[in-house]
Amino acid sequence: MPAGPTAQPQVQPQYAPAAQAWPPNPTAAVSIRGLFKRFDRKVAVNGLALDIPVGSFYGLVGPNGAGKTTTLNMVTGLLVPDAGTAMILGRNVWSDVNAVKRMIGVMPQPDQIFDRLTGMQLLVYSGMLRGMPRAEAASRAKDLLGAFDLAQAANTMVTDYSAGMTKKICLASAMIHSPRILVLDEPFESVDPVSSANLKDILIEYAKTGGTVIISSHVMALVERMCTHVAVVNNGQVCAAGTVEQVAAGEDLEDRFLQLVGGRHEAAHLAWLDGGARDSVGAPAGAPVGAPVGNAYAGIAPDGRGAAGATASAPAAAQPGPGAPSGAPSNESGAR
Ligand SMILES: Nc1ncnc2c1ncn2[C@@H]1O[C@H](COP(=O)(O)OP(=O)(O)OP(=O)(O)O)[C@@H](O)[C@H]1O
């Protein structure tokens, strides 16, 4: 999606070290400086800095363990940082936490909701928690249940929902008070294509009317298609941020992501995973189950007994190489 009229494109991608020196931007939807969080000896977020423009559809991407969720938890007031500043629409997240919580909608995790309520009850409860009158909350809950194809399940307890239905009710509960900023961690995970398309329409419309959407996602094609902006997080820092076009820099976003975060390595090749050329225990196709392979005995005999007594006829490829330890058991004995 192209940058909306209200988006304030960041001219250059940001790089974390330089960004630390800038003061927070009070006109940004979210402005983060020097955010730091350590869990015991693990530094999860390491001086992260980022500005998210008002009206943007902002994707946060990064490898597993990069620090996305920890960052979002700190920005939404769920987790106290060890250091740094985060502002939401000019308000400090930790000194003005009540004002901030009214302005943001955070998608709860499935284990954080009261799943003994029905979908309708959960939404009404979520609205009333944010100060909405019951009648208005009920009316919006009905709209949301319809929009997410959950009308039939309105009176079913959430504990009986499927994973995708639970995800949708979590999303709906983040939206019911019409927040100015929506923070959604992996919002499309396990949601079916029809509901996803409906949700995307709702979110795009919301961003067009000035709302800011922040999603974390591993689906690069989705980020490229839906988001106006993207930040790549790696090792607890932002390694590139800006409009999707700026960060992609003329390449496919996924390729650019792989260049930025690295991580493609030899472990991506598993010699034993060969789709049938060898049997499941490493013997050549067609070899009797339980045939010894190199120095290792690879399985059990067809009759279910152990391999003792099996004679060696391992293929050359499975023979120990010249560097094999001299004390290694020989194939003669078969078993080890
Ligand atoms: N409560 C915690 N206690 C200890 N370590 C944690 C805790 N929460 C996160 N971490 C660690 O901090 C690092 C960042 O985790 P985080 O969940 O923020 O990553 P992420 O980018 O959201 O990953 P993913 O894409 O896999 O969800 C990881 O190494 C994780 O193991």
Side-chain angles (χ1 to χ4, degrees):
M1 190 176 93
T6 50
Q8 302 162 10
Q10 287 163 271
V11 180
Q12 292 295 327
Q14 298 170 358
Y15 293 92
Q20 308 310 313
W22 308 342
N25 177 357
T27 66
V30 178
S31 188
I32 305 170
R33 294 292 180 273
L35 207 57
F36 186 91
K37 184 73 188 178
R38 183 199 294 268
F39 296 106
D40 298 322
R41 297 175 66 186
K42 170 72 194 172
V43 175
V45 175
N46 189 11
L48 188 141
L50 183 66
D51 282 338
I52 297 184
V54 171
S56 59
F57 200 125
Y58 214 106
L60 220 55
V61 300
N64 291 133
K68 303 177 297 293
T69 302
T70 307
T71 299
L72 291 180
N73 284 344
M74 290 192 281
V75 165
T76 53
L78 296 174
L79 186 65
V80 180
D82 297 332
T85 311
M87 293 186 104
I88 300 274
L89 294 164
R91 310 268 198 142
N92 186 295
V93 171
W94 300 285
S95 59
D96 216 349
V97 70
N98 289 334
V100 163
K101 285 197 170 162
R102 276 194 295 274
M103 294 191 288
I104 56 176
V106 184
M107 186 176 76
Q109 294 304 312
D111 61 356
Q112 295 170 333
I113 55 175
F114 293 110
D115 61 3
R116 306 294 292 180
L117 298 178
T118 67
M120 173 59 101
Q121 287 169 337
L122 180 67
L123 293 185
V124 173
Y125 166 78
S126 301
M128 291 175 70
L129 260 187
R130 272 104 170 199
M132 292 173 63
R134 178 185 288 276
E136 191 180 354
S139 160
R140 287 190 188 181
K142 199 160 166 270
D143 291 345
L144 284 164
L145 288 163
F148 285 110
D149 298 314
L150 289 172
Q152 305 281 339
N155 298 317
T156 302
M157 269 203 294
V158 173
T159 189
D160 294 328
Y161 280 14
S162 71
M165 291 163 77
T166 307
K167 183 73 126 186
K168 291 193 286 186
I169 206 76
C170 289
L171 277 164
S173 75
M175 294 175 170
I176 193 152
H177 60 304
S178 185
R180 294 182 61 190
I181 300 172
L182 270 174
V183 182
L184 312 173
D185 204 355
E186 292 282 353
F188 300 103
E189 199 184 39
S190 53
V191 175
D192 70 74
V194 175
S195 301
S196 274
N198 291 341
L199 171 62
K200 285 172 197 164
D201 286 348
I202 292 169
L203 294 178
I204 289 170
E205 186 64 28
Y206 168 81
K208 277 189 187 151
T209 58
T212 305
V213 183
I214 304 166
I215 63 166
S216 79
S217 179
H218 290 290
V219 187
M220 230 46 73
L222 183 143
V223 170
E224 194 156 28
R225 203 169 52 246
M226 290 191 70
C227 293
T228 56
H229 294 69
V230 63
V232 181
V233 179
N234 196 21
N235 295 324
Q237 297 186 334
V238 172
C239 58
T243 64
V244 170
E245 291 75 18
Q246 286 170 339
V247 173
E251 297 191 48
D252 180 75
L253 186 63
E254 184 152 354
D255 292 340
R256 187 78 187 112
F257 174 85
L258 292 174
Q259 288 167 19
L260 286 164
V261 306
R264 299 273 290 150
H265 50 71
E266 284 178 22
H269 172 70
L270 301 171
W272 47 266
L273 189 63
D274 60 8
R278 303 176 71 83
D279 73 16
S280 62
V281 291
V289 176
V293 175
N295 290 325
Y297 191 74
I300 55 170
D303 63 1
R305 288 183 290 116
T311 51
S313 59
Q319 296 286 357
S326 57
S330 79
N331 284 337
E332 294 292 306
S333 64
R336 325 185 326 143

